[in-house]
Amino acid sequence: MNNAIIFIRNEEEQSLSKAPYLGGNLLIHTVDELKKVNAIKNIYIVGLKLEIPGCETGMEIDEVIDIIEKEEGKTLLVSPLYPETNGDDYRRLLKKENPSIMVCEGEVCGSFMIPNDGLRDYEELDYESYEIRHKIIKKFSKEEAERLGGANLDDVKIFSLTSSHNLAKEVCHYLNLELGKIEVKHFADGETLVELGESVRGKRVYFIQSTCKPVNDTLMEVLIAIDAARRSSASEITCVIPYFGYARQDRKAYPRQPITAKLVAKMLEEAGANRVVTFDLHAAQIQGFFNCPVDDLTTVPMMGQYFRRKNLDPEKTVVVSPDHGGVKRARNLAEMLGTTIAIVDKRRPQANVCEACNVIGDVEGMDAIIVDDICDTGGSLIASANILKENGAKDIYVCIAHGLFSHNATQRIEDSAIKEVVVSNSIPVPIEELKKTTKIRTLSIGWMLSKLILAVQCHTPVSEVYALYEGN
Protein backbone atom coordinates (compact mmCIF):
# COMPACT_ATOMS: atom_id res chain seq x y z
CA MET A 1 0.00 0.00 0.00
CA ASN A 2 1.51 3.30 -1.12
CA ASN A 3 -0.99 6.08 -0.45
CA ALA A 4 -3.35 7.22 2.27
CA ILE A 5 -5.85 9.97 1.48
CA ILE A 6 -7.55 11.90 4.28
CA PHE A 7 -10.76 13.80 3.57
CA ILE A 8 -11.59 17.04 5.41
CA ARG A 9 -14.42 18.38 3.28
CA ASN A 10 -16.70 20.79 5.13
CA GLU A 11 -16.53 23.49 7.80
CA GLU A 12 -17.75 21.19 10.56
CA GLU A 13 -15.02 18.66 9.85
CA GLN A 14 -12.40 21.40 9.68
CA SER A 15 -13.49 22.68 13.09
CA LEU A 16 -13.48 19.22 14.63
CA SER A 17 -10.17 18.24 13.07
CA LYS A 18 -8.46 21.09 14.95
CA ALA A 19 -9.90 20.17 18.35
CA PRO A 20 -7.09 19.69 20.91
CA TYR A 21 -6.61 16.06 21.91
CA LEU A 22 -3.77 14.60 23.98
CA GLY A 23 -1.55 17.57 23.25
CA GLY A 24 -2.36 17.30 19.56
CA ASN A 25 -5.61 17.05 17.65
CA LEU A 26 -7.74 14.47 15.91
CA LEU A 27 -6.30 15.10 12.46
CA ILE A 28 -2.68 15.07 13.59
CA HIS A 29 -3.23 11.91 15.61
CA THR A 30 -4.78 10.23 12.57
CA VAL A 31 -1.71 11.22 10.54
CA ASP A 32 0.59 9.88 13.27
CA GLU A 33 -1.20 6.52 13.27
CA LEU A 34 -1.00 6.28 9.48
CA LYS A 35 2.74 6.91 9.65
CA LYS A 36 3.12 3.81 11.84
CA VAL A 37 1.91 1.64 8.95
CA ASN A 38 5.22 1.01 7.20
CA ALA A 39 3.60 0.26 3.85
CA ILE A 40 2.13 3.78 3.60
CA LYS A 41 4.62 6.01 1.83
CA ASN A 42 2.55 9.08 0.97
CA ILE A 43 -0.20 10.86 2.92
CA TYR A 44 -2.46 13.35 1.13
CA ILE A 45 -5.11 15.59 2.70
CA VAL A 46 -8.05 16.68 0.58
CA GLY A 47 -9.93 19.86 1.39
CA LEU A 48 -7.73 21.43 4.07
CA LYS A 49 -4.67 23.61 3.53
CA LEU A 50 -2.55 23.30 6.66
CA GLU A 51 1.16 22.69 7.16
CA ILE A 52 1.51 19.17 8.54
CA PRO A 53 4.95 17.50 8.58
CA GLY A 54 5.09 14.53 6.23
CA CYS A 55 1.82 15.35 4.42
CA GLU A 56 0.80 17.06 1.22
CA THR A 57 -2.26 19.16 2.00
CA GLY A 58 -4.78 21.25 0.09
CA MET A 59 -5.29 18.53 -2.53
CA GLU A 60 -8.28 18.52 -4.88
CA ILE A 61 -10.11 15.31 -5.60
CA ASP A 62 -9.12 15.34 -9.29
CA GLU A 63 -5.46 15.52 -8.30
CA VAL A 64 -5.95 12.52 -6.02
CA ILE A 65 -7.62 10.52 -8.78
CA ASP A 66 -4.65 11.20 -11.06
CA ILE A 67 -2.26 9.99 -8.35
CA ILE A 68 -4.20 6.78 -7.79
CA GLU A 69 -4.37 6.02 -11.49
CA LYS A 70 -0.65 6.55 -12.03
CA GLU A 71 0.85 4.86 -8.97
CA GLU A 72 0.97 1.17 -8.19
CA GLY A 73 -0.02 -0.38 -4.88
CA LYS A 74 -3.09 0.02 -2.69
CA THR A 75 -4.65 3.28 -1.62
CA LEU A 76 -6.48 3.81 1.68
CA LEU A 77 -9.29 6.37 1.93
CA VAL A 78 -9.59 7.89 5.39
CA SER A 79 -12.16 10.21 6.92
CA PRO A 80 -11.18 10.73 10.56
CA LEU A 81 -14.57 12.16 11.52
CA TYR A 82 -17.75 11.80 9.47
CA PRO A 83 -17.30 9.85 6.22
CA GLU A 84 -20.91 10.31 5.16
CA THR A 85 -20.11 13.92 4.29
CA ASN A 86 -17.58 12.66 1.76
CA GLY A 87 -19.87 10.23 -0.05
CA ASP A 88 -19.64 11.87 -3.47
CA ASP A 89 -15.85 11.89 -3.48
CA TYR A 90 -15.71 8.33 -2.20
CA ARG A 91 -18.01 7.20 -4.96
CA ARG A 92 -16.04 9.04 -7.62
CA LEU A 93 -12.98 7.08 -6.58
CA LEU A 94 -14.75 3.76 -6.14
CA LYS A 95 -16.51 4.00 -9.49
CA LYS A 96 -13.10 3.62 -11.03
CA GLU A 97 -13.53 -0.07 -10.12
CA ASN A 98 -9.98 -0.07 -8.90
CA PRO A 99 -9.46 -3.11 -6.62
CA SER A 100 -6.53 -1.39 -4.96
CA ILE A 101 -8.74 1.20 -3.24
CA MET A 102 -9.82 0.57 0.35
CA VAL A 103 -12.01 2.61 2.69
CA CYS A 104 -12.06 2.95 6.44
CA GLU A 105 -14.62 3.88 9.06
CA GLY A 106 -14.76 7.49 10.16
CA GLU A 107 -14.35 6.86 13.88
CA VAL A 108 -10.78 5.67 14.17
CA CYS A 109 -10.78 3.22 17.05
CA GLY A 110 -9.52 -0.32 16.64
CA SER A 111 -8.43 -0.51 13.03
CA PHE A 112 -8.19 1.74 10.03
CA MET A 113 -9.33 -0.59 7.26
CA ILE A 114 -12.79 -1.90 8.00
CA PRO A 115 -15.96 -1.74 5.90
CA ASN A 116 -17.77 1.59 6.00
CA ASP A 117 -21.48 1.31 6.85
CA GLY A 118 -22.23 4.23 4.59
CA LEU A 119 -20.77 2.41 1.59
CA ARG A 120 -22.44 -1.01 1.72
CA ASP A 121 -22.55 -1.19 -2.08
CA TYR A 122 -18.82 -1.76 -2.12
CA GLU A 123 -18.54 -4.68 0.30
CA GLU A 124 -16.80 -6.74 -2.35
CA LEU A 125 -13.65 -4.69 -1.91
CA ASP A 126 -10.62 -6.38 -0.42
CA TYR A 127 -10.18 -4.96 3.10
CA GLU A 128 -7.07 -5.29 5.21
CA SER A 129 -6.74 -4.63 8.93
CA TYR A 130 -4.07 -2.60 10.68
CA GLU A 131 -4.45 -2.45 14.45
CA ILE A 132 -3.82 0.76 16.39
CA ARG A 133 -1.93 -0.24 19.50
CA HIS A 134 -1.37 3.14 21.10
CA LYS A 135 -4.35 5.46 21.57
CA ILE A 136 -8.05 5.38 20.84
CA ILE A 137 -9.54 8.47 19.26
CA LYS A 138 -12.99 9.49 20.34
CA LYS A 139 -15.36 10.96 17.78
CA PHE A 140 -16.19 14.45 19.09
CA SER A 141 -19.49 16.15 18.45
CA LYS A 142 -19.35 19.77 17.40
CA GLU A 143 -20.45 20.89 20.89
CA GLU A 144 -17.81 18.73 22.59
CA ALA A 145 -15.07 20.05 20.34
CA GLU A 146 -16.03 23.65 21.04
CA ARG A 147 -16.19 22.95 24.78
CA LEU A 148 -12.82 21.20 24.74
CA GLY A 149 -11.19 23.95 22.72
CA GLY A 150 -12.57 26.65 24.98
CA ALA A 151 -11.51 24.88 28.15
CA ASN A 152 -7.93 24.66 26.95
CA LEU A 153 -7.25 27.74 24.84
CA ASP A 154 -9.71 30.48 25.77
CA ASP A 155 -7.56 31.47 28.73
CA VAL A 156 -4.37 31.67 26.62
CA LYS A 157 -2.83 34.96 25.51
CA ILE A 158 0.23 34.94 23.26
CA PHE A 159 2.32 38.08 22.88
CA SER A 160 5.25 38.83 20.61
CA LEU A 161 8.09 41.15 21.48
CA THR A 162 10.40 42.70 18.90
CA SER A 163 12.74 39.86 17.90
CA SER A 164 10.24 37.04 17.21
CA HIS A 165 7.15 38.68 15.74
CA ASN A 166 6.84 36.46 12.65
CA LEU A 167 7.39 33.31 14.70
CA ALA A 168 4.67 34.33 17.18
CA LYS A 169 2.25 35.03 14.33
CA GLU A 170 2.92 31.57 12.94
CA VAL A 171 2.26 29.92 16.32
CA CYS A 172 -1.03 31.81 16.66
CA HIS A 173 -2.02 30.75 13.15
CA TYR A 174 -1.61 27.08 14.04
CA LEU A 175 -3.55 27.51 17.28
CA ASN A 176 -6.32 29.62 15.70
CA LEU A 177 -5.64 32.42 18.18
CA GLU A 178 -5.27 36.15 17.75
CA LEU A 179 -1.84 37.55 18.55
CA GLY A 180 -2.03 39.65 21.72
CA LYS A 181 -1.80 43.42 21.52
CA ILE A 182 1.41 44.79 22.98
CA GLU A 183 3.57 47.83 22.39
CA VAL A 184 7.29 48.28 23.04
CA LYS A 185 8.40 51.89 23.39
CA HIS A 186 11.69 53.61 24.15
CA PHE A 187 12.39 56.86 25.96
CA ALA A 188 14.91 59.31 24.54
CA ASP A 189 17.66 57.96 26.81
CA GLY A 190 17.04 54.35 25.71
CA GLU A 191 14.82 53.16 28.56
CA THR A 192 12.35 50.46 27.52
CA LEU A 193 8.61 50.60 28.21
CA VAL A 194 6.33 47.63 27.47
CA GLU A 195 2.56 48.19 27.54
CA LEU A 196 0.00 45.39 27.22
CA GLY A 197 -2.85 46.45 24.94
CA GLU A 198 -5.49 44.12 26.41
CA SER A 199 -6.51 42.55 29.70
CA VAL A 200 -4.63 39.48 30.92
CA ARG A 201 -6.38 39.13 34.27
CA GLY A 202 -6.62 35.43 35.11
CA LYS A 203 -5.04 34.47 31.76
CA ARG A 204 -2.16 32.16 30.94
CA VAL A 205 0.28 34.47 29.20
CA TYR A 206 3.01 33.42 26.75
CA PHE A 207 5.73 35.86 25.71
CA ILE A 208 7.70 34.79 22.62
CA GLN A 209 11.08 36.46 22.30
CA SER A 210 14.57 35.27 21.41
CA THR A 211 17.18 37.17 23.40
CA CYS A 212 19.36 37.66 20.35
CA LYS A 213 21.11 40.75 18.98
CA PRO A 214 20.79 43.33 20.48
CA VAL A 215 20.92 40.92 23.42
CA ASN A 216 20.62 43.38 26.29
CA ASP A 217 17.65 45.17 24.71
CA THR A 218 15.72 41.99 23.92
CA LEU A 219 16.41 40.59 27.40
CA MET A 220 15.16 43.77 29.07
CA GLU A 221 11.99 43.65 26.94
CA VAL A 222 11.25 40.16 28.27
CA LEU A 223 11.85 41.17 31.89
CA ILE A 224 9.71 44.30 31.64
CA ALA A 225 6.91 42.44 29.83
CA ILE A 226 6.87 39.79 32.56
CA ASP A 227 6.60 42.48 35.21
CA ALA A 228 3.76 44.16 33.32
CA ALA A 229 1.82 40.89 33.07
CA ARG A 230 2.40 40.01 36.73
CA ARG A 231 1.16 43.41 37.85
CA SER A 232 -1.87 42.95 35.57
CA SER A 233 -2.92 39.78 37.47
CA ALA A 234 -1.97 37.14 34.86
CA SER A 235 -2.49 33.70 36.39
CA GLU A 236 0.61 32.15 34.79
CA ILE A 237 3.48 33.59 32.76
CA THR A 238 5.50 31.45 30.35
CA CYS A 239 8.57 32.85 28.63
CA VAL A 240 9.17 31.21 25.26
CA ILE A 241 12.81 32.07 24.55
CA PRO A 242 13.79 30.06 21.44
CA TYR A 243 17.36 31.35 21.67
CA PHE A 244 18.51 31.83 25.25
CA GLY A 245 21.11 34.61 25.24
CA TYR A 246 24.11 34.39 27.58
CA ALA A 247 23.84 30.58 27.55
CA ARG A 248 27.50 30.29 26.57
CA GLN A 249 28.51 31.83 29.91
CA ASP A 250 27.40 28.77 31.85
CA ARG A 251 30.56 28.18 33.93
CA LYS A 252 33.80 29.81 35.04
CA ALA A 253 36.14 28.79 32.25
CA TYR A 254 38.87 31.03 33.72
CA PRO A 255 39.35 32.73 37.10
CA ARG A 256 37.31 35.82 37.94
CA GLN A 257 34.66 35.17 35.25
CA PRO A 258 30.89 35.47 35.85
CA ILE A 259 28.30 32.73 35.31
CA THR A 260 25.90 34.98 33.43
CA ALA A 261 23.47 32.23 32.40
CA LYS A 262 22.65 31.74 36.09
CA LEU A 263 22.23 35.50 36.53
CA VAL A 264 19.73 35.68 33.64
CA ALA A 265 17.79 32.72 35.05
CA LYS A 266 17.47 34.47 38.42
CA MET A 267 16.37 37.70 36.73
CA LEU A 268 13.59 35.93 34.80
CA GLU A 269 12.29 34.22 37.95
CA GLU A 270 12.51 37.38 40.01
CA ALA A 271 10.53 39.27 37.36
CA GLY A 272 7.74 36.70 37.71
CA ALA A 273 8.22 33.97 35.09
CA ASN A 274 6.44 30.72 36.05
CA ARG A 275 7.84 28.62 33.21
CA VAL A 276 10.58 28.94 30.59
CA VAL A 277 10.54 27.27 27.18
CA THR A 278 13.67 27.28 25.07
CA PHE A 279 15.45 25.37 22.31
CA ASP A 280 18.81 23.62 22.34
CA LEU A 281 20.43 25.22 25.35
CA HIS A 282 24.18 25.52 24.92
CA ALA A 283 24.57 23.32 28.00
CA ALA A 284 21.75 21.17 29.37
CA GLN A 285 22.77 21.89 32.97
CA ILE A 286 21.50 25.47 32.56
CA GLN A 287 18.06 24.00 33.33
CA GLY A 288 19.34 23.56 36.88
CA PHE A 289 19.86 27.32 37.20
CA PHE A 290 16.07 27.71 37.36
CA ASN A 291 13.70 26.80 40.16
CA CYS A 292 10.66 27.01 37.86
CA PRO A 293 9.86 24.36 35.19
CA VAL A 294 12.05 24.54 32.08
CA ASP A 295 11.22 22.86 28.76
CA ASP A 296 14.44 22.59 26.76
CA LEU A 297 13.19 21.49 23.35
CA THR A 298 15.49 20.38 20.57
CA THR A 299 15.42 20.94 16.81
CA VAL A 300 17.23 17.64 16.16
CA PRO A 301 14.04 15.65 15.28
CA MET A 302 13.05 18.35 12.78
CA MET A 303 16.55 18.31 11.28
CA GLY A 304 16.49 14.51 11.19
CA GLN A 305 13.27 14.54 9.19
CA TYR A 306 14.76 17.06 6.76
CA PHE A 307 17.84 14.94 6.08
CA ARG A 308 15.82 11.72 5.82
CA ARG A 309 13.96 13.34 2.95
CA LYS A 310 17.27 13.88 1.17
CA ASN A 311 17.58 10.08 0.93
CA LEU A 312 21.26 10.07 1.82
CA ASP A 313 22.77 6.59 2.03
CA PRO A 314 23.16 5.85 5.78
CA GLU A 315 26.19 3.66 5.09
CA LYS A 316 27.91 6.50 3.28
CA THR A 317 26.90 9.28 5.66
CA VAL A 318 28.43 10.35 8.97
CA VAL A 319 27.10 12.80 11.55
CA VAL A 320 29.87 15.01 12.94
CA SER A 321 30.07 16.87 16.23
CA PRO A 322 32.32 19.94 15.86
CA ASP A 323 33.49 19.54 19.47
CA HIS A 324 33.39 17.08 22.36
CA GLY A 325 30.53 18.93 24.06
CA GLY A 326 28.13 18.23 21.20
CA VAL A 327 28.59 14.45 21.03
CA LYS A 328 25.18 13.69 22.56
CA ARG A 329 23.45 15.92 20.00
CA ALA A 330 25.34 14.20 17.18
CA ARG A 331 24.53 10.77 18.58
CA ASN A 332 20.80 11.58 18.68
CA LEU A 333 20.79 12.72 15.05
CA ALA A 334 22.88 9.73 13.96
CA GLU A 335 20.39 7.34 15.58
CA MET A 336 17.54 8.99 13.67
CA LEU A 337 19.41 8.65 10.38
CA GLY A 338 21.01 5.27 11.06
CA THR A 339 24.55 6.56 10.55
CA THR A 340 27.86 6.56 12.40
CA ILE A 341 29.34 9.61 14.14
CA ALA A 342 32.67 11.42 14.16
CA ILE A 343 34.11 14.15 16.37
CA VAL A 344 36.29 17.12 15.46
CA ASP A 345 38.93 17.71 18.09
CA LYS A 346 39.49 21.46 18.31
CA ARG A 347 40.71 24.18 20.63
CA ARG A 348 39.81 27.83 21.12
CA PRO A 349 42.82 30.12 21.65
CA GLN A 350 40.33 32.95 22.41
CA ALA A 351 36.60 33.72 22.17
CA ASN A 352 35.14 33.43 18.63
CA VAL A 353 38.41 31.93 17.39
CA CYS A 354 38.58 28.22 16.63
CA GLU A 355 41.30 25.86 15.44
CA ALA A 356 40.34 22.36 14.30
CA CYS A 357 43.10 19.89 15.09
CA ASN A 358 42.00 16.34 14.27
CA VAL A 359 39.05 14.09 13.37
CA ILE A 360 38.04 11.17 15.56
CA GLY A 361 36.21 8.66 13.39
CA ASP A 362 36.09 7.61 9.73
CA VAL A 363 34.89 10.28 7.26
CA GLU A 364 36.78 9.33 4.10
CA GLY A 365 34.44 9.03 1.12
CA MET A 366 31.44 9.93 3.29
CA ASP A 367 28.86 12.70 3.15
CA ALA A 368 29.16 14.58 6.46
CA ILE A 369 26.44 16.31 8.47
CA ILE A 370 27.86 18.68 11.08
CA VAL A 371 25.36 19.34 13.88
CA ASP A 372 25.78 22.19 16.37
CA ASP A 373 23.63 24.45 18.52
CA ILE A 374 24.97 27.90 17.56
CA CYS A 375 26.62 29.48 14.55
CA ASP A 376 28.02 32.87 15.56
CA THR A 377 30.93 33.93 13.38
CA GLY A 378 30.98 30.58 11.58
CA GLY A 379 34.62 29.96 12.45
CA SER A 380 34.00 26.64 14.20
CA LEU A 381 31.85 25.24 11.38
CA ILE A 382 34.20 26.35 8.62
CA ALA A 383 37.25 25.00 10.45
CA SER A 384 35.42 21.70 10.95
CA ALA A 385 34.42 21.57 7.28
CA ASN A 386 38.00 22.21 6.18
CA ILE A 387 39.47 19.43 8.28
CA LEU A 388 36.72 17.04 7.14
CA LYS A 389 37.63 17.80 3.53
CA GLU A 390 41.29 17.20 4.32
CA ASN A 391 40.30 13.80 5.66
CA GLY A 392 38.43 12.82 2.51
CA ALA A 393 34.81 13.78 3.23
CA LYS A 394 32.58 14.40 0.19
CA ASP A 395 29.55 16.70 0.52
CA ILE A 396 29.37 18.59 3.80
CA TYR A 397 26.04 19.66 5.28
CA VAL A 398 25.49 21.65 8.47
CA CYS A 399 22.44 21.81 10.73
CA ILE A 400 22.34 24.33 13.54
CA ALA A 401 19.61 25.40 15.93
CA HIS A 402 20.48 29.09 16.24
CA GLY A 403 21.93 31.19 13.45
CA LEU A 404 23.52 34.33 14.90
CA PHE A 405 25.64 34.91 11.77
CA SER A 406 27.84 37.68 13.17
CA HIS A 407 30.81 39.38 11.51
CA ASN A 408 29.94 38.53 7.89
CA ALA A 409 29.48 34.84 8.69
CA THR A 410 27.06 34.32 5.78
CA GLN A 411 29.63 35.44 3.24
CA ARG A 412 32.24 33.19 4.83
CA ILE A 413 29.84 30.25 4.59
CA GLU A 414 29.21 31.01 0.91
CA ASP A 415 32.97 30.92 0.25
CA SER A 416 33.54 27.73 2.28
CA ALA A 417 33.50 24.01 1.48
CA ILE A 418 30.06 23.66 3.08
CA LYS A 419 27.33 22.58 0.64
CA GLU A 420 24.28 23.53 2.69
CA VAL A 421 23.45 25.03 6.09
CA VAL A 422 20.07 24.18 7.61
CA VAL A 423 19.04 26.47 10.46
CA SER A 424 15.88 26.98 12.49
CA ASN A 425 14.10 30.34 12.64
CA SER A 426 14.67 30.66 16.39
CA ILE A 427 16.60 33.79 15.39
CA PRO A 428 15.30 35.75 12.37
CA VAL A 429 18.10 35.97 9.81
CA PRO A 430 18.16 39.45 8.17
CA ILE A 431 17.26 39.39 4.48
CA GLU A 432 20.42 41.30 3.62
CA GLU A 433 22.48 38.48 5.15
CA LEU A 434 20.56 35.78 3.29
CA LYS A 435 21.25 37.59 0.02
CA LYS A 436 24.97 36.98 0.55
CA THR A 437 24.62 33.20 0.23
CA THR A 438 22.59 30.52 -1.52
CA LYS A 439 23.59 27.86 1.01
CA ILE A 440 21.30 28.66 3.97
CA ARG A 441 17.95 26.87 4.31
CA THR A 442 15.59 27.86 7.16
CA LEU A 443 13.18 25.47 8.91
CA SER A 444 10.43 26.81 11.14
CA ILE A 445 9.93 25.80 14.77
CA GLY A 446 6.47 27.40 14.79
CA TRP A 447 4.62 24.13 14.43
CA MET A 448 6.60 22.54 17.25
CA LEU A 449 5.98 25.52 19.53
CA SER A 450 2.24 25.40 18.87
CA LYS A 451 2.17 21.72 19.83
CA LEU A 452 4.20 22.51 22.96
CA ILE A 453 1.63 25.09 24.05
CA LEU A 454 -1.18 22.59 23.46
CA ALA A 455 0.69 19.96 25.48
CA VAL A 456 1.15 22.39 28.37
CA GLN A 457 -2.50 23.40 28.26
CA CYS A 458 -3.79 19.81 28.01
CA HIS A 459 -1.31 18.55 30.65
CA THR A 460 0.15 15.93 28.31
CA PRO A 461 3.81 14.88 27.82
CA VAL A 462 5.88 17.39 25.89
CA SER A 463 7.85 14.44 24.47
CA GLU A 464 4.86 13.65 22.25
CA VAL A 465 5.72 16.77 20.24
CA TYR A 466 8.77 15.02 18.76
CA ALA A 467 6.60 12.23 17.34
CA LEU A 468 5.43 14.71 14.69
CA TYR A 469 8.81 14.36 13.01
CA GLU A 470 9.23 10.58 13.08
CA GLY A 471 7.87 10.05 9.58
CA ASN A 472 9.47 11.06 6.33
Side-chain angles (χ1 to χ4, degrees), residues 22 29 112 135 164 175 202 207 219 230 260 294 324 392 437 461:
L22 292 175
H29 182 63
F112 269 109
K135 305 169 194 161
S164 301
L175 294 174
F207 291 112
L219 176 59
R230 180 172 62 87
T260 319
V294 177
H324 294 274
T437 178

Side-chain angles (χ1 to χ4, degrees), residues 438-464:
T438 59
K439 295 182 178 181
I440 294 179
R441 172 71 183 272
T442 303
L443 302 181
S444 177
I445 59 174
W447 179 259
M448 196 186 305
L449 269 179
S450 68
K451 306 314 291 181
L452 176 279
I453 292 173
L454 268 177
V456 171
Q457 296 303 118
C458 297
H459 308 291
T460 58
V462 173
S463 58
E464 289 191 0

Side-chain angles (χ1 to χ4, degrees), residues 171-402:
V171 172
C172 288
H173 170 72
Y174 290 135
L175 294 174
N176 295 313
L177 295 175
E178 292 291 331
L179 187 61
K181 297 176 183 178
I182 192 170
E183 190 171 2
V184 179
K185 303 176 182 179
H186 296 279
F187 291 101
D189 64 350
E191 283 186 17
T192 300
L193 171 64
V194 178
E195 292 183 340
L196 302 179
E198 56 189 286
S199 174
V200 294
R201 184 176 298 275
K203 303 293 186 180
R204 292 183 172 185
V205 173
Y206 290 79
F207 291 112
I208 300 180
Q209 168 96 316
S210 279
T211 50
C212 53
K213 185 178 180 181
V215 181
N216 296 333
D217 289 344
T218 54
L219 176 59
M220 284 304 300
E221 286 179 18
V222 174
L223 296 172
I224 296 170
I226 295 170
D227 188 71
R230 180 172 62 87
R231 296 179 186 277
S232 301
S233 302
S235 66
E236 186 176 270
I237 302 171
T238 299
C239 294
V240 181
I241 307 177
Y243 170 67
F244 189 85
Y246 287 106
R248 286 174 287 184
Q249 297 182 40
D250 62 319
R251 70 197 188 284
K252 290 182 65 173
Y254 299 99
R256 296 176 295 282
Q257 284 190 339
I259 304 179
T260 319
K262 168 68 173 176
L263 174 63
V264 172
K266 292 178 66 177
M267 291 167 67
L268 290 168
E269 287 189 319
E270 187 64 28
N274 302 113
R275 176 189 297 270
V276 173
V277 177
T278 187
F279 279 81
D280 291 291
L281 281 172
H282 186 64
Q285 61 266 25
I286 293 176
Q287 298 174 66
F289 294 168
F290 292 86
N291 292 318
C292 66
V294 177
D295 292 310
D296 180 21
L297 302 182
T298 177
T299 59
V300 169
M302 181 174 68
M303 300 294 183
Q305 183 186 66
Y306 176 83
F307 282 102
R308 280 198 301 273
R309 290 175 176 174
K310 283 186 170 293
N311 295 318
L312 299 174
D313 186 349
E315 295 184 357
K316 297 180 180 179
T317 304
V318 58
V319 175
V320 180
S321 173
D323 52 38
H324 294 274
V327 172
K328 182 178 180 181
R329 187 180 298 110
R331 173 62 65 191
N332 290 340
L333 181 59
E335 289 177 354
M336 294 176 188
L337 301 178
T339 70
T340 58
I341 70 168
I343 305 168
V344 175
D345 181 28
K346 69 180 184 184
R347 67 184 183 89
R348 288 188 181 275
Q350 62 188 70
N352 289 129
V353 177
C354 173
E355 294 180 359
C357 303
N358 197 11
V359 176
I360 303 171
D362 183 18
V363 299
E364 185 173 358
M366 310 274 275
D367 291 328
I369 303 173
I370 303 173
V371 56
D372 206 354
D373 61 328
I374 298 173
C375 175
D376 193 351
T377 63
S380 176
L381 296 177
I382 294 172
S384 298
N386 290 339
I387 195 169
L388 289 173
K389 277 293 186 182
E390 292 172 5
N391 281 266
K394 294 168 63 179
D395 292 338
I396 297 176
Y397 302 90
V398 173
C399 60
I400 52 178
H402 312 296

Side-chain angles (χ1 to χ4, degrees), residues 38-55:
N38 293 330
I40 294 178
K41 305 302 181 186
N42 305 302
I43 302 175
Y44 304 98
I45 297 181
V46 175
L48 182 67
K49 184 65 175 178
L50 185 69
E51 184 178 342
I52 299 177
C55 296

